[in-house]
């Protein structure tokens, strides 16, 4: 079996205490079930590869003002 898993992450890069880069990204990763050693991999899953076009940068959602 193979699944396509979507992971949205917020990445923030800082030097000392100052944020120098930040962004939201979407990674799509193929996860595959295998018959691997249950002592080393109890769930029998492996991260196979990124899906084509991954990762993508997510644009921030516009803030909605409430009256």
């Amino acid at each position: 079996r193979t699944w396509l898993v979507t992971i949205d992450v917020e990445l923030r890069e800082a030097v000392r205490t100052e944020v120098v880069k930040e962004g939201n990204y979407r990674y799509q990763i193929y996860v595959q079930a295998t018959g691997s050693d249950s002592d080393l991999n109890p769930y029998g899953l492996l991260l196979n590869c990124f899906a084509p076009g991954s990762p993508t940068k997510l644009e921030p959602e516009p803030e909605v003002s409430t009256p």
Side-chain angles (χ1 to χ4, degrees), residues 27-61:
Y27 291 87
Q28 291 189 309
I29 301 172
Y30 288 109
V31 176
Q32 187 173 359
T34 66
S36 63
D37 183 4
S38 62
D39 290 336
L40 299 175
N41 186 354
Y43 298 106
L45 300 175
L46 64 86
L47 302 178
N48 194 0
C49 62
F50 288 113
S54 184
T56 56
K57 184 167 181 156
L58 300 175
E59 297 300 323
E61 294 182 14

Side-chain angles (χ1 to χ4, degrees), residues 1-47:
R1 289 192 211 189
T2 301
W3 298 272
L4 178 61
V5 177
T6 301
I7 303 170
D8 291 342
V9 296
E10 180 180 335
L11 297 175
R12 193 172 294 134
E13 184 177 331
V15 175
R16 297 191 179 151
T17 59
E18 184 177 342
V19 176
V20 294
K21 190 188 310 183
E22 61 186 327
N24 296 318
Y25 297 90
R26 174 167 289 156
Y27 291 87
Q28 291 189 309
I29 301 172
Y30 288 109
V31 176
Q32 187 173 359
T34 66
S36 63
D37 183 4
S38 62
D39 290 336
L40 299 175
N41 186 354
Y43 298 106
L45 300 175
L46 64 86
L47 302 178

